[in-house]
Amino acid sequence: MPGPTAGSAGDTSTASTTPAETATVDDAATAAAADGVAGAATATVKDRADGGVGGRATILVLGGLVALGPLTTDLYLPGLPAIADDLAAEPAAVQLTLTFSMFGVAAGQLIFGPLSDRFGRRPPLLAGLVVYTLASLACVVAPNLAVLIAARFVQGAAGAAGLVIGRAVARDRFEGVAMIRFLASITLISGLAPILAPLFGAQLLRFTSWRGTFGALAALGLLLTLVALGALRETLPASARRGGGLAATLRTMGGLLRDVPFLGQLLTSTFAFGALFGYISGSSVVLQHVYHVSPQTYSLLFGLNSVAIVASTQVNGRLLAPRFSAATLMRTGLAVLIAAGTFLVLATAVWDLGLVAVCASLFVMMAGLGVVLPNSAARALSMVAPQAAGSASALLGTGNFLCGAVVAPLSSLGGSPSAVLLAVVVLSCALLAAASYLLLLRPGRPAAPEPAAA
C-alpha cells in the first residue's frame, strides 16, 4: 500500500501480513467503484466468513457506539444556562465542561486506538464503556463546576473507545467505495443522535434538572456495554495484531504523521471538525442569549440543522461516491463550507440579518461537512494497513477533538456570547481546512488512490 503502509508505519508491524492486507488500494478502490453495490456485498460476505458481526448488525452496533460521542456532547446542551445558574458560574466557564470533554475524547482515542491494534477491538471497547458509565454517574453527583469538568474529561476519554474503534472496524472490513458506504451507514444512525439529543435533553429539563441528563447518559452507557458484550465480535484476528509495545506505537504514529498525503487528510478533517464544534459549542448560548430562543426552540433548530449533515452524508455515500472522484467531492464540500462561513460572517457582522439568516447559513455549512468529513476519513484510512488502522483512527479522532476543544469557548470570549465570533470561528476553520487540502494534496503530490468515476 502507498503512504504509511509502505513507509515507517508499516515497518513497525510485527504481525504477519495476509495477501488481502498487501493488496494495493488502487485495486480495491477500482474494484469497488466498478462494481458499486457488489463491492459492499462482497465486504459483508467477508465479514460473515471471518466470524464478525455481519452486515446490518455491525452497522447497528457500531452506529450506536459511535453515536455515544454526539449524545455525550449534545444531550446536555440545552441545560448549559441552568448549569451556570445552579453552580454560580459564568457561561464561558461552564463551556469548559464541553472543552475538557473534547480534550478527553482526544486523549482517549490516543489510548484506545493503539490498544485495539495490539489487543483486538473488543476488550478495549468494553473497558471504555464501563468507565464511561461510572464517569457519567460522577457527573450526576458533581458538587461544583471543578468536579463536573473533571468528570466530563474522564467521560469523554472513555467514550472515545466507540469512536476510534468503530472507524478501525470499518477499515478491518471494507475498502474504497464500500468503506465510504459503510461509514455513511454508521453516520445515518449516529447522525440521528445530534438531532434527537437536544430534543430529548430539552424535554428532560421539563421533568428533571441538568443532572438528570447525565443520569440518562449513565443508563445509555450501561445499555451499550451489555449490547456490545453480547453482539459485537472481534474483527481483528490475533495474527494481524500489532506487537512491540509503546515504542512500536509511537513509531507507527510518527510514520503516519510524516506521510504528507495522510497528514493532508488529517488536517483537512481536523479543521472541518473544528467548524462543526465551533457551531455545536457556540450555538446553545448564542441562540438562547443573543437571539432569545427557548431551550425547546433551540433544540428544534439544532435538530433541523443536523438533518443537513445526515442527508448530505447519505447522498455522498450512496449516490455521489460511486460516480465522482473523492477529490471532486472534497473540493465541492470545502467550497460549500467556505461559502456558508462567508455568508454567516456577513449576516452577523455586516448586515445583521437575524435568526433566519444565521440558521440558514449553519444549515448549508452542515451540508458541506456531510461531504467533507466521511470522504476525508475514508481516504485517510485507505492509506494504512489494517494492523495500523487503530493508530490512524486515533490520530484522526484526536486531531478532530483537540481542534474542537480549542474552538469550543471562542464564541464566548470576553465573557458574553457573540454571533459574530461564532461566524468568524466557522469561517476560519473552513479556510484552514481548504488550505490544508490544497497545499498538502495538490496535483503532482502523491496521494491515496481514489475510486474511479463510474
Side-chain angles (χ1 to χ4, degrees):
M1 286 188 180
T5 309
S8 300
D11 294 341
T12 65
S13 175
T14 61
S16 60
T17 304
T18 67
E21 291 165 352
T22 55
T24 65
V25 177
D26 272 319
D27 294 338
T30 303
D35 206 21
V37 176
T42 300
T44 302
V45 170
K46 173 189 172 186
D47 185 83
R48 289 173 178 156
D50 290 346
V53 177
R56 293 180 181 177
T58 301
I59 292 172
L60 290 173
V61 173
L62 293 180
L65 292 171
V66 173
L68 192 61
L71 280 172
T72 302
T73 301
D74 301 337
L75 187 68
Y76 90 121
L77 286 180
L80 284 177
I83 295 175
D85 294 338
D86 189 26
L87 300 181
E90 294 294 328
V94 173
Q95 281 191 310
L96 291 176
T97 61
L98 182 60
T99 297
F100 275 82
S101 176
M102 296 301 100
F103 279 129
V105 174
Q109 291 186 83
L110 287 177
I111 295 170
F112 288 106
L115 284 177
S116 75
D117 285 341
R118 185 175 183 185
F119 298 107
R121 311 303 185 200
R122 225 173 98 92
L125 176 62
L126 293 173
L129 288 172
V130 170
V131 175
Y132 175 89
T133 303
L134 296 175
S136 298
L137 291 174
C139 291
V140 173
V141 300
N144 53 54
L145 185 60
V147 173
L148 180 60
I149 289 172
R152 285 285 288 170
F153 176 85
V154 177
Q155 186 188 41
L163 290 170
V164 67
I165 294 175
R167 286 191 301 263
V169 169
R171 179 63 185 90
D172 292 341
R173 295 301 180 195
F174 300 98
E175 294 278 1
V177 173
M179 187 192 300
I180 296 175
R181 285 178 174 164
F182 184 78
L183 291 174
S185 297
I186 290 178
T187 304
L188 175 62
I189 298 174
S190 63
L192 294 175
I195 296 174
L196 299 177
L199 294 170
F200 185 48
Q203 297 309 311
L204 278 176
L205 292 177
R206 292 176 176 268
F207 306 102
T208 184
S209 69
W210 58 268
R211 297 180 186 275
T213 62
F214 288 109
L217 290 174
L220 177 62
L222 178 60
L223 176 62
L224 286 174
T225 302
L226 297 175
V227 170
L229 184 64
L232 188 65
R233 301 178 189 172
E234 185 58 62
T235 62
L236 186 67
S239 60
R241 294 175 191 173
R242 181 176 299 278
L246 178 62
T249 297
L250 294 176
R251 287 197 299 271
T252 297
M253 290 186 170
L256 289 167
L257 292 174
R258 288 192 298 272
D259 184 86
V260 174
F262 179 87
L263 181 62
Q265 295 294 349
L266 170 64
L267 291 178
T268 301
S269 176
T270 293
F271 290 121
F273 208 79
L276 174 63
F277 267 92
Y279 157 69
I280 289 175
S281 63
S283 62
S284 176
V285 290
V286 167
L287 294 182
Q288 292 186 66
H289 287 174
V290 176
Y291 294 101
H292 308 293
V293 305
S294 67
Q296 287 71 33
T297 301
Y298 162 72
S299 66
L300 289 172
L301 292 172
F302 191 90
L304 179 63
N305 285 333
S306 297
V307 169
I309 193 169
V310 173
S312 63
T313 298
Q314 297 310 298
V315 170
N316 170 74
R318 298 179 183 277
L319 299 178
L320 300 180
R323 293 173 172 81
F324 301 97
S325 71
T328 298
L329 295 177
M330 287 289 293
R331 287 193 294 266
T332 301
L334 289 168
V336 169
L337 196 58
I338 291 173
T342 301
F343 184 79
L344 185 60
V345 169
L346 294 175
T348 55
V350 179
W351 298 324
D352 193 20
L353 297 181
L355 179 63
V356 173
V358 168
C359 290
S361 301
L362 293 173
F363 185 90
V364 174
M365 177 202 77
M366 296 288 274
L369 288 171
V371 175
V372 172
L373 291 176
N375 278 290
S376 59
R379 294 187 72 197
L381 291 173
S382 294
M383 298 177 183
V384 303
Q387 61 264 36
S391 296
S393 180
L395 289 174
L396 282 168
T398 298
N400 290 348
F401 282 91
L402 278 178
C403 189
V406 170
V407 305
L410 295 184
S411 61
S412 293
L413 283 179
S416 61
S418 168
V420 176
L421 284 175
L422 172 62
V424 170
V425 167
V426 168
L427 178 58
S428 299
C429 288
L431 292 172
L432 288 170
S436 300
Y437 184 82
L438 294 175
L439 292 175
L440 299 179
L441 291 159
R442 62 181 183 268
R445 185 184 290 279
E450 303 167 356

